[in-house]
Amino acid sequence: MCQGDDPRCPEFRLHHEALKRDLAAERRSFLKSSFVAAGGLATIAAGGATLVTPALAQATAAKAPAQRTHHYLPANADTVHWGYFSKTLKPRVECDSGDIVTIETLTHHACDDRERMVEGDEGAESVFLWTKDKKGVDRRGAGPTDPKVYKKGSGEGQGVHVMTGPVYVRGAEPGDVLEVRILDCAPRPSAKFPGKSFGSNAAAWWGFHYNDLLNGDKREVITIYEVDASGAKSWAQAVYNFKWVPQTDPFGVVHETIDYPGVPVDHATTTRNMDVLKGVRVPIRPHFGTLGLAPAEVDFVDTIPPNWVGGNIDNWRIGKGATMYYPVAVEGGLLSVGDPHASQGDSELCGTAIECSLTGVFQLILHKKADLAGTPLEALDYPMLETKDEWLVHGFSFANYLKELGPEAQSAIYGKSSVDLAMRDAFRKMRHFLMTTQKLTEDEAISLMSIAVDFGVTQVVDGNWGVHAVVKKDIFAGRG
């Protein structure tokens, strides 16, 4: 019997409309239950040690409205910007400190399998629309938009992530710190495969592995993964993979490699290998690869390299239960969210994670500069991560590449990054963190870093490479 998925059925249109209504209800119910599970509108206590001192929490609460508001920001062609951060963008939501915002995010790799990740999903269809006459979202990247200049497409793919937002936080000014609590993070159900979500992993030309393939081969391989959208299964499993072959986009441009975001893959030209990673269950850890504020240095900033106000950090720990602290660079902060992942390992070695659309629930708390003196957040000039049990600093090859590398920074960064530089930055930030928040001497901090701090390679694929440093909170339990 047709369930709305058989075009040959005489009643296909009627059945398909019923299916869409059922899926929409399922998605709303799923998100509502996730939100309630996250604690609804209640303030989430950090529990134990936290960077927000009682005095700072009290000062911050005194400035916030007594009544919190819950905002909902869907992902569609009107609410996303593709491939760039910008201080010039019109906010899609305005909120007060303490408010909660549910934000839908879409993976920029959805067109690797449109059937599973786009078709039947009204929001996704509007974003990924691309015919010979138009694109749902034309500009994709911080690059040129003049048709006489660009060759691949508007924005030139200088930045690839579909970003939802920005969110304007009333009262936010340069020098403040925005606390972003991730209350929930859940996969976006597929419109055509009830109860399932899907993601794509691209082993691409920008991956760390690409110039070190056996026998000197050069190939890009995409693997499609299935995720249980209900949350009953805590793992992802491979569905199939295929080798990228030249794809001609609807405007007639041929893409020999994965060089422009959102190019629809015509699977009539590919060979699907269904027999991959049999019996392998990949633990999922949904998180947001790209989350941060608008930089002040230039008007349009490529989303790929991370920077001092956040962005494409690609740390799998930035998921449910985590709190990020960002220095505010422009009025309103202008928070944007994208690059959702179902799972990723440290390094993101081959170029991507399991790129999978997610919906997140965030609480945004604004700490004013005047209240930061003497607190651990005083003079914070990098994105800081806090979990229930750990503090993490993020080091980059260049802490603020937009400032350090000058007018050509957005192109120069791709040729100048190294793990050595990122390690040096992570060391300096962790030294500063331990000396200021724990009042250690430099010698004490250095000893502790060697014996109790874990340094890891966050990513080696985002232009501005990353190293994170993790310190457990409980090692300071004896200090009162």
Side-chain angles (χ1 to χ4, degrees):
M1 177 180 175
C2 173
Q3 299 294 323
D5 55 359
D6 184 0
R8 297 168 297 181
C9 173
E11 302 295 330
F12 168 71
R13 185 175 298 276
L14 183 63
H15 293 162
H16 186 64
E17 289 301 319
L19 175 63
K20 287 171 64 177
R21 287 194 299 273
D22 291 344
L23 288 173
E26 174 188 341
R27 180 174 289 125
R28 287 193 297 271
S29 174
F30 176 67
L31 294 175
K32 181 179 179 181
S33 64
S34 298
F35 178 66
V36 171
L41 290 172
T43 299
I44 304 300
T50 174
L51 298 179
V52 179
T53 64
L56 177 58
Q58 185 176 15
T60 296
K63 293 180 173 66
Q67 183 67 39
R68 294 189 183 91
T69 301
H70 178 218
H71 310 265
Y72 196 96
L73 184 57
N76 56 52
D78 296 323
T79 62
V80 306
H81 49 105
W82 196 327
Y84 59 91
F85 286 93
S86 178
K87 61 186 179 183
T88 70
L89 282 168
K90 178 182 177 181
R92 301 306 175 190
V93 164
E94 292 192 13
C95 70
D96 292 311
S97 177
D99 283 358
I100 290 176
V101 189
T102 295
I103 304 176
E104 296 180 1
T105 65
L106 299 173
T107 172
H108 54 293
H109 279 273
C111 285
D112 291 342
D113 190 324
R114 287 184 58 89
E115 180 186 21
R116 287 172 166 79
M117 290 185 272
V118 178
E119 292 178 7
D121 183 325
E122 186 176 353
E125 287 182 336
S126 73
V127 171
F128 295 104
L129 171 68
W130 194 350
T131 68
K132 65 182 181 63
D133 300 313
K134 65 178 294 187
K135 286 193 290 186
V137 179
D138 185 49
R139 180 174 192 153
R140 302 182 181 184
T145 58
D146 183 349
K148 297 178 181 177
V149 177
Y150 65 72
K151 298 177 181 178
K152 299 174 185 175
S154 182
E156 285 285 87
Q158 294 175 22
V160 297
H161 309 102
V162 178
M163 305 299 296
T164 309
V167 176
Y168 182 100
V169 181
R170 297 185 186 99
E173 300 171 297
D176 298 341
V177 169
L178 184 65
E179 177 183 350
V180 179
R181 297 176 177 176
I182 305 175
L183 307 185
D184 204 3
C185 179
R188 184 183 183 94
S190 170
K192 296 195 71 174
F193 295 80
K196 298 179 180 180
S197 294
F198 296 90
S200 171
N201 169 251
W205 60 267
W206 62 87
F208 191 83
H209 71 292
Y210 189 70
N211 292 316
D212 200 14
L213 290 168
L214 297 176
N215 302 316
D217 193 13
K218 299 289 185 185
R219 65 184 181 276
E220 295 179 292
V221 177
I222 294 173
T223 306
I224 302 299
Y225 287 84
E226 176 186 308
V227 176
D228 177 14
S230 72
K233 299 176 182 177
S234 61
W235 66 86
Q237 56 192 28
V239 182
Y240 67 91
N241 70 10
F242 65 93
K243 181 178 178 180
W244 180 275
V245 293
Q247 296 293 315
T248 303
D249 70 35
F251 285 175
V253 178
V254 177
H255 300 268
E256 299 286 343
T257 61
I258 306 171
D259 63 352
Y260 190 75
V263 172
V265 174
D266 178 3
H267 280 289
T269 67
T270 70
T271 300
R272 299 193 193 192
N273 177 14
M274 309 301 291
D275 191 27
V276 295
L277 293 173
K278 292 295 184 183
V280 176
R281 294 178 174 180
V282 181
I284 63 169
R285 35 197 187 193
H287 63 281
F288 299 96
T290 307
L291 171 63
L293 310 183
E297 286 77 7
V298 293
D299 284 349
F300 291 90
V301 180
D302 179 343
T303 56
I304 297 174
N307 60 72
W308 70 288
V309 290
N312 190 29
I313 294 175
D314 276 330
N315 187 333
W316 60 263
R317 299 159 185 84
I318 305 177
K320 181 177 179 178
T323 296
M324 288 295 298
Y325 299 91
Y326 299 104
V328 175
V330 301
E331 180 184 337
L334 298 183
L335 177 79
S336 295
V337 190
D339 191 24
H341 297 165
S343 194
Q344 180 206 300
D346 285 335
S347 86
E348 201 179 17
L349 185 139
C350 80
T352 72
I354 298 180
E355 311 286 328
C356 174
S357 299
L358 304 174
T359 295
V361 183
F362 305 86
Q363 185 175 30
L364 309 183
I365 301 171
L366 179 64
H367 301 290
K368 297 297 294 179
K369 181 179 180 180
D371 299 323
L372 298 178
T375 76
L377 296 178
E378 182 180 12
L380 182 75
D381 62 355
Y382 56 86
M384 180 86 194
L385 170 60
E386 180 175 52
T387 69
K388 178 183 177 183
D389 301 314
E390 300 170 335
W391 288 303
L392 291 88
V393 301
H394 292 101
F396 307 119
S397 296
F398 295 88
N400 184 351
Y401 78 97
L402 293 168
K403 181 178 180 180
E404 296 173 69
L405 300 183
E408 303 303 318
Q410 295 198 62
S411 56
I413 184 64
Y414 289 99
K416 293 182 177 293
S417 290
S418 75
V419 171
D420 288 354
L421 291 172
M423 179 69 188
R424 179 69 60 187
D425 188 46
F427 155 68
R428 290 172 174 169
K429 287 172 177 172
M430 180 53 74
R431 177 178 59 186
H432 176 267
F433 176 80
L434 294 173
M435 292 179 68
T436 55
T437 68
Q438 302 302 320
K439 309 305 180 185
L440 303 185
T441 67
E442 182 180 23
D443 291 337
E444 289 175 324
I446 289 172
S447 177
L448 191 62
M449 276 189 279
S450 188
I451 62 174
V453 174
D454 292 319
F455 288 81
V457 178
T458 322
Q459 52 76 25
V460 288
V461 294
D462 293 340
N464 196 10
W465 291 5
V467 167
H468 55 269
V470 187
V471 60
K472 298 285 187 182
K473 292 181 178 181
D474 61 10
I475 69 173
F476 303 109
R479 296 170 65 85

